[in-house]
């Protein structure tokens, strides 16, 4: 395969698409986490710094008094820590009157530059808490809180600040590193994903390879289960079950073609033999007539085999249409029972038919007649003179049942599962030999009517076939009648 073609195939593969989707989702998630982290870090640093200055602002307000336009600090001399705190606070502080005139400005403040009186007045008049950052050329940063301070009847603008470390590049640095590492993370994720997808999809590839190797001669190929009770295991099981079915069907077809050619060859050989006899050795018209009569018999057999085969293959490929009439099995069994009395008498077999009136079934009368005929003729054919055949029609709540039992030669247990197969015959006396297609029809007809046929037998004692066909339900019947009546109106 050309390299470019392999690349194209690889890009279309499920494995590649899985990995790509995985990497995209993973990348988006990590990217999202990085951005949230960046935002959160920036805000947390800022919040923590402001909280410290808020504390200073409150502390300053506790010690400060404005009297007659002058700022005075009230410190209890007995508490040295108070004067320590006030000293610290006064290092970065500015107090301005309502007109913007400066009442007190710390050196620490001046370094960063003092606002003009009009600026200070504007802040005071806004009545808002204002936050500002001032940066000295050396890079030092002062974070300030401005607010109105009230003391008795007087008020002033108090600005208090702290030199803070400039953390602003920190979030960018951290998230920058994170985003720098992201491609490597994604590469690692892609490689891991590639390996995981590969091992997860291995059974699928094996399945495809096995399926490609299958031909008519190696239908015994199966996939090895992995013992994991997962979706792929189910796929493997389904594949193996399908192969079981295919193998069985193929075997049946193989048997069938061997049997069919064998069946067709026998009469042809006989016909050829008879014609040769006629040509070489027959002398009198009687000899010719005998040879031709035997040949004709075989021609009949040949054409009934071909007819039977054609019918069966049409049946199995769904080409035969089954009528959907209301049929009385009681009528069919009674009529055919009467017809077979003569056949049974010829074979010295006692035929007892019990066909009470039972529920109707929905189906095809001709096919149902064929079903009963096949079972009855078999029962008589495989029963020795002096034996008997009993036909019993009955019904349950849901089904009409037909049992055809005989006291005939019976079928050995090992043959029972196969007698419904095409051409399958338990070796029987030459005179009893049939085509081996009758029971295949019986089984197909029962199934085509939504029913089934089962068999029980004991060698030397007799055989019983039981056919069950769903009964036409009363509700279904009246609906059918009604719609028929409606159609006529
Ligand atoms: P055939 O035309 O040979 O009767 P069938 O498909 O009707 O073909 O039956 C298949 C085989 O099943 C028969 O060859 C016979 O050996 C066996 N069989 C069918 N019915 C009976 C029965 N009532 N008693 C004993 N054997 C039977």
């Amino acid at each position: 395969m050309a390299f470019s073609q392999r690349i194209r195939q690889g890009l279309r593969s499920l494995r590649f698409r899985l990995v790509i989707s995985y990497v995209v989702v993973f990348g988006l998630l990590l990217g999202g986490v990085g951005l949230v982290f960046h935002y959160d870090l920036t805000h947390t640093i800022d919040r923590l710094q402001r909280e410290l200055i808020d504390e200073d602002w409150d502390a300053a307000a506790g010690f400060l008094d404005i009297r007659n336009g002058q700022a005075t600090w009230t410190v209890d001399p007995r508490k040295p820590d108070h004067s320590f705190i006030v000293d610290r606070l006064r290092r970065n502080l500015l107090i301005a009157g309502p007109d913007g005139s400066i009442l007190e400005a710390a050196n620490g403040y001046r370094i960063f530059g003092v606002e003009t009186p009009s600026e200070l007045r504007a802040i005071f008049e806004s009545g808002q808490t204002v936050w500002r950052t001032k940066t000295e050329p050396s890079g030092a940063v002062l974070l300030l809180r401005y607010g109105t301070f009230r003391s008795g009847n007087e008020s002033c603008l108090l600005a208090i600040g702290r030199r803070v470390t400039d953390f602003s590049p920190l979030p960018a640095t951290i998230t920058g590193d994170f985003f720098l590492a992201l491609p490597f993370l994604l590469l690692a994720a892609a490689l891991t994903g590639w390996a995981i997808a590969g091992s997860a999809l291995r059974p699928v590839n094996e399945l495809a390879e096995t399926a490609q190797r299958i031909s008519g001669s190696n239908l015994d190929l199966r996939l090895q289960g992995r013992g994991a009770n997962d979706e792929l295991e189910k796929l493997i099981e389904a594949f193996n079950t399908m192969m079981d079915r295919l193998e069985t069907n193929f075997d049946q077809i193989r048997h069938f073609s061997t049997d069919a050619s064998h069946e067709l060859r026998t009469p042809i050989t006989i016909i050829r033999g008879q014609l040769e006899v006629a040509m070489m050795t027959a002398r009198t018209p009687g000899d010719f007539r005998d040879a031709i009569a035997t040949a004709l018999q075989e021609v009949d057999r040949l054409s009934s085999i071909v007819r039977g085969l054609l019918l069966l293959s049409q049946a199995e490929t769904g080409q035969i249409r089954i009528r959907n009439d209301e049929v009385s099995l009681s009528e069919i069994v009674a009529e055919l029972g009467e017809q077979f009395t003569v056949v049974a008498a010829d074979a010295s077999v006692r035929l007892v038919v019990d066909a009470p009136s039972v529920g109707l079934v929905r189906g095809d009368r001709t096919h149902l007649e064929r079903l009963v005929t096949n079972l009855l003729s078999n029962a008589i054919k495989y029963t020795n003179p002096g034996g008997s055949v009993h036909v019993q029609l009955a019904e349950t709540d849901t089904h009409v049942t037909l049992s055809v039992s005989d006291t005939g030669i019976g079928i050995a247990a090992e043959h029972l599962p196969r007698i419904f197969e095409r051409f399958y015959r338990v070796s029987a006396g030459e005179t009893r030999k049939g085509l081996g297609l009758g029971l295949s029809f019986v089984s197909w007809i029962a199934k085509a009517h939504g029913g089934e046929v089962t068999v029980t037998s004991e060698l030397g004692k007799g055989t019983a076939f039981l056919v069950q066909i769903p009964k036409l339900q009363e509700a279904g019947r009246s609906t059918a009648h009604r719609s028929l009546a409606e159609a006529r109106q």
Side-chain angles (χ1 to χ4, degrees):
M1 199 190 301
F3 183 68
S4 60
Q5 206 179 342
R6 281 174 81 158
I7 296 271
R8 239 175 292 134
Q9 207 173 49
L11 292 181
R12 274 202 307 265
S13 73
L14 186 59
R15 186 180 188 184
F16 181 77
R17 280 185 284 155
L18 273 177
V19 171
I20 287 295
S21 342
Y22 172 61
V23 167
V24 168
V25 171
F26 194 55
L28 286 177
L29 273 178
L30 283 185
V33 168
L35 290 179
V36 170
F37 181 68
H38 179 86
Y39 177 85
D40 210 39
L41 195 62
T42 314
H43 283 264
T44 308
I45 292 172
D46 198 45
R47 184 173 48 79
L48 289 175
Q49 288 179 332
R50 286 181 185 211
E51 274 173 13
L52 285 176
I53 294 170
D54 280 342
E55 280 171 18
D56 285 354
W57 208 92
D58 292 341
F63 296 109
L64 188 60
D65 271 327
I66 304 291
R67 255 179 250 140
N68 305 324
Q70 292 298 315
T72 48
W73 296 90
T74 322
V75 180
D76 187 345
R78 286 165 299 173
K79 294 185 176 160
D81 55 325
H82 281 190
S83 41
F84 176 76
I85 294 170
V86 169
D87 283 350
R88 185 180 62 76
L89 292 173
R90 292 178 74 185
R91 260 181 244 144
N92 292 307
L93 153 148
L94 176 105
I95 303 169
D99 57 351
S101 61
I102 293 170
L103 305 183
E104 181 178 335
N107 274 340
Y109 193 101
R110 288 184 192 280
I111 296 170
F112 290 90
V114 179
E115 290 85 350
T116 60
S118 58
E119 267 181 301
L120 293 172
R121 197 172 55 242
I123 300 174
F124 176 80
E125 283 168 2
S126 76
Q128 306 282 323
T129 299
V130 175
W131 289 91
R132 277 194 180 170
T133 312
K134 293 186 177 200
T135 314
E136 207 198 3
S138 69
V141 178
L142 186 71
L143 180 62
L144 286 155
R145 174 185 163 174
Y146 299 75
T148 308
F149 170 72
R150 280 191 186 78
S151 164
N153 291 332
E154 297 184 46
S155 52
C156 67
L157 176 71
L158 172 63
I160 216 152
R162 258 182 190 244
R163 280 164 180 261
V164 292
T165 316
D166 185 8
F167 285 117
S168 58
L170 188 68
T173 314
I174 295 178
T175 40
D177 289 350
F178 176 74
F179 279 105
L180 217 64
L182 192 61
F184 298 100
L185 286 176
L186 291 183
L187 184 68
L191 291 177
T192 319
W194 183 257
I196 294 174
S199 76
L201 292 174
R202 193 169 306 126
V204 180
N205 286 331
E206 279 172 17
L207 192 85
E209 278 166 21
T210 312
Q212 256 168 2
R213 272 191 285 137
I214 291 168
S215 70
S217 57
N218 60 359
L219 282 171
D220 54 343
L221 278 181
R222 296 290 180 277
L223 282 181
Q224 277 291 322
R226 299 168 309 140
N229 190 19
D230 57 8
E231 291 85 347
L232 286 173
E233 197 67 32
K234 281 190 201 127
L235 185 67
I236 292 173
E237 269 169 32
F239 177 83
N240 287 343
T241 319
M242 181 193 78
M243 288 305 298
D244 287 346
R245 279 202 304 269
L246 261 182
E247 197 179 5
T248 315
N249 284 353
F250 245 71
D251 277 352
Q252 278 177 0
I253 291 169
R254 229 178 260 140
H255 277 134
F256 173 68
S257 12
T258 321
D259 293 348
S261 40
H262 181 76
E263 289 302 320
L264 294 172
R265 210 173 48 218
T266 315
I268 290 173
T269 315
I270 298 175
I271 293 167
R272 188 192 165 91
Q274 289 301 320
L275 293 179
E276 278 172 0
V277 165
M279 205 169 82
M280 311 283 216
T281 57
R283 299 272 175 272
T284 63
D287 290 346
F288 280 109
R289 205 173 292 119
D290 285 351
I292 291 171
T294 316
L296 271 179
Q297 260 178 19
E298 292 307 313
V299 169
D300 279 350
R301 185 173 167 80
L302 206 58
S303 55
S304 51
I305 293 177
V306 172
R307 219 179 311 123
L309 277 181
L310 195 69
L311 210 64
L312 255 185
S313 72
Q314 282 176 339
E316 283 172 9
T317 50
Q319 291 176 50
I320 295 187
R321 281 195 48 173
I322 291 272
R323 293 177 62 90
N324 201 19
D325 303 329
E326 291 179 8
V327 184
S328 161
L329 271 170
S330 310
E331 267 173 39
I332 294 178
V333 172
E335 279 170 22
L336 288 173
E338 221 168 283
Q339 287 175 25
F340 270 90
T341 316
V342 186
V343 185
D346 282 353
S348 311
V349 170
R350 197 167 70 93
L351 175 63
V352 182
V353 179
D354 188 4
S357 172
V358 293
L360 301 179
V361 298
R362 190 168 276 291
D364 192 311
R365 187 179 174 102
T366 316
H367 286 300
L368 290 169
E369 279 175 356
R370 181 190 287 270
L371 178 145
V372 179
T373 306
N374 284 357
L375 289 179
L376 262 173
S377 65
N378 272 355
I380 295 170
K381 192 160 59 170
Y382 296 107
T383 300
N384 289 323
S388 64
V389 171
H390 188 198
V391 181
Q392 173 73 58
L393 195 63
E395 66 181 323
T396 66
D397 284 349
T398 52
H399 287 77
V400 174
T401 60
L402 169 72
S403 110
V404 179
S405 50
D406 59 56
T407 58
I409 59 173
I411 305 167
E414 73 260 30
H415 296 294
L416 271 185
R418 299 198 57 193
I419 56 166
F420 293 102
E421 287 175 20
R422 287 174 290 197
F423 290 123
Y424 194 81
R425 284 187 305 239
V426 179
S427 66
E430 201 55 31
T431 45
R432 285 170 171 162
K433 208 173 166 193
L435 296 179
L437 295 177
L439 285 181
S440 307
F441 273 117
V442 170
S443 162
W444 173 75
I445 294 168
K447 279 191 195 132
H449 284 78
E452 60 167 357
V453 52
T454 49
V455 59
T456 47
S457 184
E458 206 176 324
L459 201 59
K461 293 229 168 124
T463 307
F465 285 92
L466 180 71
V467 181
Q468 302 186 68
I469 296 195
K471 219 160 66 173
L472 193 64
Q473 295 303 316
E474 288 304 314
R477 272 184 74 187
S478 49
T479 320
H481 281 147
R482 220 182 17 251
S483 49
L484 214 69
E486 279 162 9
R488 284 204 191 106
Q489 275 173 8

